[in-house]
Amino acid sequence: MTTHDRDERLLESRIPDFDSHAALARSRERIAREGIVPQPSRTDALVARITLSRGAWLRPAVAAAAAILFVTAAALTGLADTVLTVFEPKQVATVQVDPSQLRGIPDPSEYGTLTWIAKPAPHAVPDARAAAAEAGFTALVPASLPSGVPAGPRFTVAGEAKATFQFDEAKARAAAARVSATIPPMPAAIAATTLTMTGGPAIMQQYGGASGATYSGGTVPAGAALVIVQTRAPVVTSNGATVQELRDYALAQPGIPPSVAAQIRAIGDPVRTLLIPVGIDPQNARLVTVRGTQGYLIGDQTGLGSGVFWLERGYVIAVFGSLKESDLISLVNGLH
Amino acid sequence: MRASAVLDRRMEASAATLRPARTAAGELPAAFERLFVREYGRVAAIAYRVVGDAAEAEDVAQDVFTSFYRRHDPEASYAPSWLYAAAAHSALNVIRGRTRRERRESSVASHENDRVSDPEAETIAAEERALVRATLARLPDQAAALLALRYSGLSYAECATALGVRIDQIGTRLRRAQEAFRKEVLRDDPRP
């Protein structure tokens, strides 16, 4: 027997037959004994969807994010051979996208090689002071907490993350071939380009909920009543291709809907605009004004949960929790 | 990303519609019971693949369903994936020595058929289960979880959704995980 055979056998050993009805009876008993009352949480649902279905929904988001990176800035064209800032968002704007229209797009991450220089490595810290000392900034905190949100936040800090992305035409072609797509030739300037992406540090405040439930390889604030994340806005620089070249190449990829391309081309200050790819769902996901700037809100008035994020003084700030939309906006406007 | 792709339409309904329907005494909401009966076997199998002990696997499965019951809509489209991922990671937490209630002394009646008449074969099988458990405990979380899911019978697509990775990455990740598993087994027990 080869070692390979043995490993297969080890992993394929017989699994007992489990009696689901007997188990259900035990579960009923436990739930009754412990008095467990289900409280479906939109926050948890949102986290679950983000964590579990990354493959399904993130692809168009990544595609859109790549398009963001590639978006043009007329003021910066013609500056090849210097380090260009191709993305440093100061504001948010939405681009209406139907994810089903983007399925034919080769995965942008396959257009080159991502190399981490520094990973964020999130870790718990005792309090706000320790968080500020590590992150190098003081996080905004609520002026007051809505009823139902317990005081005493837990703080998590993630250090600065830095990565490079080196374009690779052969890899891009191979990836496109796997989804039966053909991509246009990669311009020499882009093939020779490395993008450098920097983000963070970040501070997360979690009010209520478990100290962190681990699944899908990540620690998420399960059951939290309120979460506030503040991170330095990401910056992307290019050492070669201009923003114009990057944009033209991105928008020439197969499967980019003309309507999306038109919206991206129409962005007035694309380098400083974080584009949010969204479907048309104005009742539950829309731009709102918070703290004198535009933010993006997902929410409702039922109290099940709402989330909003915006850019402010060089930070991306996200606040979400089991709150009504109106309470969330009040809380955000009171942050100091 | 469409907002509706992030927030299930059910989640956009009123709070009232998310509250479980009233049920007869002792029974849980019908949607949860259907989910439980449909998925319990798989969830317990995933846990068993990791912990190698039927009673302990059932403990993990009970905890996973209870956690889901507390915070999630049983009709959410992500429910099975959530349960599978939670089973794998919870079972890995168990074998990595996290706080855990003591193992139960006796198995439930449904495991009568685990018992084999050949004591020597059972001893070997127990040793192998211990080897798998120790090996998975040393692998990176995502690799161990992928092996647990795949060798519990999940398809590539189901593994991809549960682990939050693209389906076209599963084959490569699985090969790497198998290779890592093989190396660890050889380190522990070089017998072929």
Side-chain angles (χ1 to χ4, degrees), chain A residues 193-221:
Chain A
T193 290
T194 298
L195 299 177
T196 300
M197 297 165 276
T198 308
I203 297 175
M204 182 176 84
Q205 304 167 59
Q206 178 190 337
Y207 295 78
S211 59
T214 299
Y215 63 83
S216 283
T219 299
V220 297

Side-chain angles (χ1 to χ4, degrees), chain A residues 4 6-9 11 13 23 26 28 30 39 42 46 49 52 99 107 110 277-278 298 304, chain B residues 1-2 6-8 11 18 33 49 58 62-63 70 77 89 128 151 161 166 182 189 191:
Chain A
H4 181 271
R6 186 179 65 152
D7 299 335
E8 288 287 308
R9 184 171 54 76
L11 287 166
S13 63
R26 291 197 298 280
R28 285 175 181 156
R30 174 180 175 182
Q39 294 180 310
R42 173 173 277 191
L46 182 60
R49 286 188 167 282
L52 294 171
D107 185 343
E110 300 282 5
V278 295
I298 301 172
L304 281 173
Chain B
M1 171 183 56
R2 285 177 56 169
V6 176
L7 296 176
D8 192 298
M11 292 294 164
L18 284 173
E33 294 213 342
R49 186 57 79 207
E58 295 223 63
Q62 286 283 344
D63 287 350
R70 285 180 198 276
S77 58
H89 290 290
E128 290 184 345
Y151 284 93
T161 307
R166 296 202 321 267
R182 191 166 300 130
D189 181 4
R191 287 176 301 173

Side-chain angles (χ1 to χ4, degrees), chain A residues 9-10 13-16, chain B residues 48 51-55 103 107 111-131:
Chain A
R9 184 171 54 76
L10 285 171
S13 63
R14 193 178 68 83
I15 291 172
Chain B
Y48 179 81
V51 300
D53 177 279
R103 283 175 60 171
S107 280
H111 301 128
E112 288 295 326
N113 56 4
D114 293 353
R115 295 172 188 168
V116 292
S117 55
D118 183 344
E120 189 181 351
E122 174 54 22
T123 302
I124 293 170
E127 285 176 359
E128 290 184 345
R129 288 197 297 272
L131 180 60

Side-chain angles (χ1 to χ4, degrees), chain A residues 27 59 65 78 116 126 134 147 161 166 199 215-216 222 288 300 302 308:
Chain A
S27 190
R59 189 165 170 147
W116 283 100
E134 278 206 32
S147 62
Q166 169 70 59
Y215 63 83
S216 283
V288 292
D300 68 8
T302 67
V308 62

Side-chain angles (χ1 to χ4, degrees), chain A residues 55-75:
Chain A
W57 72 264
L58 192 58
R59 189 165 170 147
V62 168
I68 290 165
L69 297 180
F70 296 170
V71 157
T72 188

Side-chain angles (χ1 to χ4, degrees), chain B residues 78-168:
Chain B
Y78 60 77
S81 300
W82 192 100
L83 293 168
Y84 303 155
H89 290 290
S90 298
L92 287 166
N93 286 344
V94 167
I95 64 172
R96 286 172 180 156
R98 285 197 177 182
T99 303
R100 180 77 189 164
R101 62 179 177 267
E102 288 186 357
R103 283 175 60 171
R104 295 191 304 201
E105 291 297 322
S106 58
S107 280
V108 294
S110 62
H111 301 128
E112 288 295 326
N113 56 4
D114 293 353
R115 295 172 188 168
V116 292
S117 55
D118 183 344
E120 189 181 351
E122 174 54 22
T123 302
I124 293 170
E127 285 176 359
E128 290 184 345
R129 288 197 297 272
L131 180 60
V132 171
R133 178 182 168 123
T135 305
L136 289 177
R138 291 198 300 271
L139 292 186
D141 204 55
Q142 287 288 76
L146 177 56
L147 290 174
L149 295 174
R150 181 62 181 156
Y151 284 93
S152 303
L154 268 65
S155 67
Y156 273 30
E158 289 169 326
C159 290
T161 307
L163 296 176
V165 300
R166 296 202 321 267
I167 188 171
D168 61 2

